[in-house]
Amino acid sequence: MSSKALAKPLIRQVTTRGYAQAAPAVKRDVRIQSCVLPNKTFVAALDNGSPVARVTVAFKAGSRYEPQSELGAAHLLRSAAGLTTKNASAFITSRKLAQIGATFSASGDREFIYYTIEATQDHLQQAIEHLNNLVSNQEFRPWELSDNIPRLRYDLAALPPQIRAVDLLHKAAYRRGLGNSLFISPKNIGKISSESLQHFASSTLTPGRCAVTVIGNSQENATLVAQALQLPTSSEAQSDASKYYGGELRKEMGGDLAHVALAVQGAPAGSPQSLALAVAAKALGNGPVTKWGADNTPLAKAIGNIGPFAAAGFNVSYSDNGLFGVVLSVPKDEATAAVKAAGNLLKNANLSADAIKAGKNQLKLQVLSEAENGTSLAESIATQGLYTGAVKSPAEVAKDIDQLSNNDISQALSNAAKNKVSMGAAGNLTLVPYVDEL
């Protein structure tokens, strides 16, 4: 029996620091405007008439840019968002944001960190001033970083085991760069100094690595936001292209379940193959679509009737690489058969026309639904800008999905299956087969 436990996206699991809840957005179909400023900052805006404006400032400052001697700096950076700056203490900042009803949050993934503020239109200018201060004037005072240690420990303690498995999968697949964990290692907590964090921030939070997106206001306003940022122009952090090696990492945690992520090399962001693999991931399966309903996806059928389990296909693309695979949670006693079945499907997937059609529709629903969330849309636009220098609206992405042929998807799936399988596993791994046994 399949479960919906993995029906939500797993890969872009982020740690967030925020002060309030987001307000709902009002959407209408309008055009996204974008440009690149002389200082190489990407700027985009969608003036959709929403009563709530959202401003996101994104940087290429994810975990892949961490120096090997300071692993966990990206986690610490996003966790420290909202602490005392050169102009205001954390208390004053949170109090002033509360007075105007604004929300500030920071989140991140392997390539980017996002600083987002949300406010009503009549308080937008005040909110932008606070955002500028929070992004441009961070100080990372040592005693505040020490006070922040319990939050880091909570972030680690609250990690779902499926996320641990996916994190281990990246480490096994890439080793360094994209293999760097999203989360600081327990042994490194308290070991990264204020000076080291300041150096990481000054080398990654720079104009040439920045994108500013505004949802609910004009591009002119977005340009003013970008120009007002007081960012350092020091030498930028460098990251070599992440090579896909393939491998296996396991973390024995006990319990009654085994959580396993299997993947092969995928395609980089912005490529037609990436979109085709995203459709294929949905076509493989994403859990039942009704509560207590049966799961008739290819992935669930391959695993069979082994008792309660959760399984989903996934595709994640980065600037120079990607992963395509499946993640599953199964009873420990059924792990051998389930993991082998999933591995066999991954290497020999043959999707029917009906499965591909269902995958297209599910992916379009996800893309268009995420566009209803103003914050997700702002981050998505910033990501596209930093990846490709151009932006497609959710409607345009949905149109691109429709234009994919069954042969495009089958070919992308066939090419991915030729690559070496990687595995990350967490939980009770007594009966989980090793990757070379699949």
Side-chain angles (χ1 to χ4, degrees):
M1 181 177 67
S2 179
S3 160
K4 286 184 68 65
L6 300 184
K8 63 181 180 179
L10 283 173
I11 304 307
R12 205 175 167 282
Q13 176 74 13
V14 295
T15 299
T16 304
R17 182 185 185 95
Y19 286 115
Q21 294 296 319
V26 176
K27 299 288 294 177
R28 69 183 185 189
D29 188 20
V30 290
R31 181 172 166 269
I32 299 174
Q33 296 180 311
S34 64
C35 68
V36 178
L37 301 182
N39 64 359
K40 299 182 180 180
T41 297
F42 178 84
V43 175
L46 177 65
D47 193 356
N48 60 358
S50 171
V52 176
R54 295 165 174 86
V55 182
T56 292
V57 181
F59 296 93
K60 294 180 181 178
S63 58
R64 73 171 300 172
Y65 299 105
E66 296 170 345
Q68 293 299 301
S69 59
E70 304 289 348
L71 293 179
H75 184 184
L76 187 55
L77 179 63
R78 64 179 181 259
S79 181
L83 297 182
T84 296
T85 66
K86 295 177 182 178
N87 300 325
S89 68
F91 172 76
I92 291 296
T93 298
S94 61
R95 185 172 183 272
K96 288 186 176 181
L97 288 174
Q99 286 177 330
I100 62 174
T103 300
F104 172 75
S105 63
S107 60
D109 52 35
R110 281 185 160 75
E111 297 220 72
F112 308 116
I113 185 169
Y114 311 90
Y115 298 101
T116 300
I117 201 153
E118 300 172 291
T120 55
Q121 296 289 353
D122 53 340
H123 291 118
L124 179 59
Q125 293 306 316
Q126 293 170 273
I128 289 174
E129 291 176 7
H130 293 302
L131 176 64
N132 188 358
N133 182 47
L134 288 166
V135 172
S136 304
N137 298 313
Q138 300 182 79
E139 282 198 331
F140 311 118
R141 297 182 178 184
W143 55 91
E144 288 193 328
L145 295 182
S146 296
D147 292 342
N148 199 46
I149 285 177
R151 175 181 172 80
L152 296 175
R153 289 179 174 152
Y154 174 79
D155 288 343
L156 298 181
L159 278 181
Q162 296 93 342
I163 301 303
R164 292 185 183 274
V166 172
D167 207 49
L168 290 170
L169 171 70
H170 279 77
K171 184 68 174 177
Y174 297 114
R175 300 182 185 174
R176 294 170 292 275
L178 289 175
N180 293 346
S181 175
L182 282 171
F183 308 97
I184 191 170
S185 170
K187 67 181 181 181
N188 283 348
I189 292 178
K191 300 293 181 62
I192 299 177
S193 67
S194 172
E195 292 78 8
S196 297
L197 184 59
Q198 189 68 60
H199 180 267
F200 177 72
S202 64
S203 63
T204 54
L205 308 187
T206 60
R209 307 167 67 93
C210 177
V212 176
T213 59
V214 174
I215 305 297
N217 214 288
S218 66
Q219 186 184 13
E220 290 76 12
N221 205 4
T223 301
L224 292 175
V225 173
Q227 292 174 340
L229 293 173
Q230 304 163 21
L231 301 176
T233 55
S234 56
S235 59
E236 297 185 358
Q238 300 297 322
S239 175
D240 296 331
S242 287
K243 179 182 177 181
Y244 180 86
Y245 293 94
E248 174 181 14
L249 283 174
R250 303 157 71 99
K251 183 177 180 64
E252 178 65 54
M253 300 174 63
D256 296 325
L257 297 174
H259 310 278
V260 181
L262 299 170
V264 292
Q265 186 177 16
S271 65
Q273 295 79 10
S274 174
L275 193 60
L277 289 175
V279 172
K282 289 293 184 182
L284 282 179
N286 200 35
V289 296
T290 59
K291 188 174 182 179
W292 312 120
D295 189 351
N296 297 312
T297 61
L299 180 56
K301 290 179 179 178
I303 294 174
N305 188 18
I306 62 169
F309 72 92
F314 72 86
N315 176 68
V316 55
S317 295
Y318 301 105
S319 57
D320 55 359
N321 221 308
L323 289 176
F324 171 79
V326 297
V327 59
L328 60 156
S329 297
V330 297
K332 64 181 190 303
D333 296 331
E334 307 285 354
T336 301
V339 174
K340 286 186 175 181
N344 182 61
L345 179 64
L346 187 60
K347 295 296 289 183
N348 303 284
N350 185 18
L351 297 174
S352 67
D354 286 342
I356 292 175
K357 181 180 179 181
K360 284 184 176 182
N361 290 331
Q362 290 178 27
L363 183 60
K364 286 193 296 182
L365 177 64
Q366 178 181 324
V367 169
L368 296 173
S369 296
E370 288 181 352
E372 295 294 322
N373 183 320
T375 300
S376 295
L377 181 59
E379 293 181 358
S380 174
I381 293 173
T383 298
Q384 290 184 62
L386 290 172
Y387 274 145
T388 66
V391 176
K392 288 186 176 181
S393 69
E396 291 173 323
V397 175
K399 186 179 295 185
D400 289 343
I401 293 171
D402 280 331
Q403 291 175 348
L404 289 171
S405 68
N406 290 0
N407 184 63
D408 292 334
I409 295 167
S410 297
Q411 187 62 45
L413 198 55
S414 175
N415 292 338
K418 296 175 183 177
N419 297 307
K420 184 178 179 181
V421 176
S422 296
M423 182 170 80
N428 191 322
L429 309 181
T430 304
L431 297 179
V432 172
Y434 288 86
V435 73
D436 59 1
E437 298 172 342
L438 300 179

